[in-house]
Amino acid sequence: MRIAARRQPFAQIALLIAVGIITGSIGVIDPTLIGAEYLIGALTIVVLTSVMVVVSSTRSGSKGPVGSLWFALIPLADMVACALIRASVIDHLSAAGVLVIFPLAWLSFAFPWPLIVAGVVGTGFVTAYPLIRDGSGVESPSDLARVLTLPVTVSLFAVATAWVGRDLARRQRRGDDEAAQAEAARQSSTEATLTIEAVVETSPHPLAIFDLDGRAVLANSAALAVGARAGRPDLDLRGGPVELYDARGQRGVPLGLVAIEQVLSGDAVEPRRIFVGSPGSQIVIDVVVRPVHGADGELRAIVMVGHDVTELVQAVEVRDSFLDDVGHELKTPLTAILGHAGLLEGSTDATAAAQAAIIRRAAERQMGIVNQLIAAGRATVVNASGDRTAAADVVRLACRDGAKAAEQKHIDFAVVLDVEKHPEGDVVVFSARDLSTLVEAIVANAVQFTPAGGTIVVGLRRAGKAVVLEVSDSGVGMNENEREHAFDRFYRAPSSRSEAVPGLGLGLSVARALAEANGATIALESAPGRGTLVTVRMQAV
């Protein structure tokens, strides 16, 4: 009602225009018909229109439904004026009877039902006025028809107009509510975006969100700094990286759209380490890529989170260099001890020979530990050479020491080189030195944790475009917690410490480092009391 009432000057003006048209028509037909009664009705409409225009321009009475009800006085007064005009000219211009439509439409559209009923009654007054004025009254059916036909007809018009008006009002209220909800949602979205941006920016780690085309839609300053160092200040993943390297120092890390395609295909993207910047001033970042799904489950974006591990990597390099240096310093005197112990074992003095054997065994044990230290120091700094290696020969030679150790512990040891029978051969992309160290580390670990009477099998087979090394044992096995830490450097299971099993916890960690450095994968399966299976999958040539 409030909005409709504000529009009523137009309805009133339309009525004034209609009166002007009828007045002009009467002036042409018979000017003598414009008498006092006609002039009173016309001037009343002119005055009411002026009042309505002034009131509406000052917005008076438009502050609520109750306050705007007094507007009904204007269309009701219009009906009286229409009755005067109609009574004056109805016999010569029947169109004057339709003037009552304008105030009735106003009442029907903008006011409650009681006022609409009052308007219909007013329409009856318009048709009955000539009879009341002449004092003849309603004396015949024809008089009754003349009085009731217009009120009945316009009452239907009033009902239709009222329903249309209320339907429009409902639609407008609904539109206003939807607009308000949309505005509230927009404000909420803006606030959520600002909050997300603030949270993202507070993270010291590089964090960026990309659309499915590889463009960054949100990134914090840490991510932008990484992009600038890599030669991509806009973080656009489309196009090759400028200064981006993998752990092997190879350019062109498939981290951008390739990672997105992996997410799109449903593959989990594991954390990966990349080196950003030109050599000599690089930073090291561990990157994780994850999908962002909408409420409907559809993939909307990709989020990349990085963790700067430059200091950690540098600390590891310092530690590993120290291990390598210390290992070589210890290896020199141990080599001398082993050499002299070997000479003394050939002595004719049985006591001296026995003591030399004890010295040799202790030195060999220490030499094994030193070799592990050297391998641990070398494994994390080694770069893939891309060498091609005949795997079977390397594995056969690398198993000799393990076979001897197994024999001394009364463990059955077997090497099964099925790959030698394969027509595609056994050549792999793997450094021969690294492969030998890897096999020695895994076999030594198997021998340590397999009791007497157990079995160790080293297998090498072809599997499509890969050559697979498998080392299985029937040893003590590992529980879930031990499996999770099996490849951690210097990790030793509680049972190995309680049972005084020798070792530094470096074997499997060295194996994994060497495997990853040469582009291979390593996996472990184990269960308590059921032994362990270590699988290394290498790229075949």
Side-chain angles (χ1 to χ4, degrees):
M1 283 178 58
R2 180 168 67 251
I3 297 175
R6 289 177 182 172
R7 296 178 179 174
Q8 296 320 306
F10 302 105
Q12 184 68 23
I13 291 172
L15 174 61
L16 179 62
I17 293 172
V19 171
I21 293 173
I22 289 176
T23 301
S25 299
I26 291 299
V28 173
I29 296 171
D30 186 0
T32 61
L33 295 175
I34 303 177
E37 191 176 48
Y38 186 97
L39 289 174
I40 292 173
L43 289 174
T44 300
I45 291 175
V46 170
V47 171
L48 290 174
T49 302
S50 301
V51 172
M52 188 62 197
V53 171
V54 171
V55 171
S56 297
S57 64
T58 59
R59 297 183 179 272
S60 175
S62 61
K63 296 183 178 180
V66 176
S68 64
L69 289 178
W70 69 270
F71 277 77
L73 296 175
I74 296 176
L76 290 174
D78 282 336
M79 285 190 167
V80 176
C82 289
L84 297 177
I85 294 173
R86 176 181 179 278
S88 300
V89 300
I90 189 64
D91 293 334
H92 298 83
L93 187 64
S94 60
V98 301
L99 289 176
V100 73
I101 292 296
F102 293 97
L104 181 62
W106 182 348
L107 289 169
S108 301
F109 187 80
F111 294 97
W113 286 103
L115 290 174
I116 297 174
V117 173
V120 173
V121 173
T123 303
F125 168 76
V126 171
T127 56
Y129 173 71
L131 299 176
I132 296 173
R133 180 193 59 184
D134 298 338
S136 59
V138 180
E139 299 177 351
S140 64
S142 61
D143 293 336
L144 182 63
R146 282 194 295 271
V147 172
L148 295 180
T149 299
L150 182 62
V152 171
T153 302
V154 298
S155 64
L156 297 176
F157 170 77
V159 171
T161 304
W163 280 112
V164 170
R166 279 150 182 77
D167 183 65
L168 290 176
R170 283 193 298 270
R171 291 176 182 272
Q172 185 167 1
R173 285 194 299 271
R174 188 182 304 117
D176 291 342
D177 292 341
E178 292 175 353
Q181 293 175 1
E183 177 62 19
R186 186 192 66 79
Q187 292 181 353
S188 176
S189 176
T190 301
E191 293 175 358
T193 300
L194 293 174
T195 301
I196 292 173
E197 290 177 350
V199 171
V200 168
E201 191 58 40
T202 57
S203 173
H205 306 297
L207 191 156
I209 300 175
F210 299 86
D211 61 22
L212 301 185
D213 292 327
R215 288 183 289 262
V217 296
L218 179 62
N220 62 3
S221 56
L224 294 175
V226 172
R229 183 183 287 268
R232 288 282 173 179
D234 56 358
L235 292 178
D236 195 334
L237 297 180
R238 297 169 299 177
V242 178
E243 294 289 351
L244 204 61
Y245 304 81
D246 63 12
R248 290 172 284 173
Q250 297 180 350
R251 251 179 169 179
V253 177
L255 179 67
L257 292 179
V258 173
I260 290 180
E261 290 170 0
Q262 289 177 314
V263 173
L264 289 173
S265 66
D267 295 336
V269 180
E270 296 298 327
R272 61 183 310 166
R273 180 162 295 177
I274 59 174
F275 291 74
V276 182
S278 57
S281 61
Q282 292 178 327
I283 60 174
V284 187
I285 299 178
D286 285 344
V287 179
V288 178
V289 182
R290 289 292 181 268
V292 178
H293 296 283
D296 56 359
E298 293 293 327
L299 184 64
R300 300 298 185 194
I302 301 295
V303 61
M304 289 189 182
V305 182
H307 182 62
D308 192 334
V309 293
T310 305
E311 294 184 359
L312 176 61
V313 169
Q314 290 173 346
V316 171
E317 289 178 352
V318 170
R319 183 198 65 187
D320 291 342
S321 297
F322 171 77
L323 292 175
D324 187 68
D325 292 341
V326 170
H328 283 92
E329 290 297 325
L330 293 174
K331 192 171 186 178
T332 300
L334 283 173
T335 301
I337 292 172
L338 284 171
H340 287 83
L343 293 174
L344 289 175
E345 278 189 287
S347 172
T348 56
D349 187 338
T351 301
Q355 291 175 340
I358 295 173
I359 294 173
R360 178 184 56 78
R361 288 194 295 271
E364 286 176 346
R365 177 182 173 185
Q366 291 304 112
M367 182 63 80
I369 294 175
V370 169
N371 286 334
Q372 285 190 354
L373 287 174
I374 294 174
R378 185 172 59 83
T380 57
V381 297
V382 67
N383 291 323
S385 61
D387 291 348
R388 269 58 172 167
T389 301
D393 292 339
V394 174
V395 171
R396 185 184 291 107
L397 293 174
C399 288
R400 288 186 302 180
D401 291 341
K404 292 179 181 178
E407 183 180 359
Q408 292 175 358
K409 288 186 64 174
H410 305 290
I411 298 172
D412 291 335
F413 191 94
V415 179
V416 182
L417 303 177
D418 289 339
V419 71
E420 291 182 322
K421 304 175 184 178
H422 200 282
E424 295 185 14
D426 64 335
V427 179
V428 295
V429 181
F430 212 112
S431 164
R433 180 185 177 188
D434 291 346
L435 180 56
S436 178
T437 304
L438 177 146
V439 174
E440 290 173 356
I442 298 175
V443 169
N445 187 79
V447 172
Q448 279 185 336
F449 293 97
T450 301
T455 302
I456 297 175
V457 178
V458 179
L460 192 67
R461 59 183 175 85
R462 183 85 184 208
K465 295 183 179 180
V467 172
V468 180
L469 169 70
E470 295 174 323
V471 179
S472 63
D473 64 63
S474 59
V476 296
M478 306 180 195
N479 57 34
E480 182 178 355
N481 182 65
E482 291 170 342
R483 289 195 303 272
E484 290 179 358
H485 297 282
F487 292 108
D488 293 349
R489 187 159 300 189
F490 299 110
Y491 174 77
R492 303 191 69 207
S495 59
S496 64
R497 292 195 297 268
S498 62
E499 297 175 11
V501 177
L504 296 176
L506 290 171
L508 292 180
S509 67
V510 169
R512 182 177 67 173
L514 292 173
E516 292 178 350
N518 286 272
T521 61
I522 185 169
L524 180 146
E525 299 177 19
S526 185
R530 296 186 179 182
T532 300
L533 170 64
V534 179
T535 304
V536 180
R537 184 175 292 269
M538 300 170 284
Q539 180 183 349
V541 177

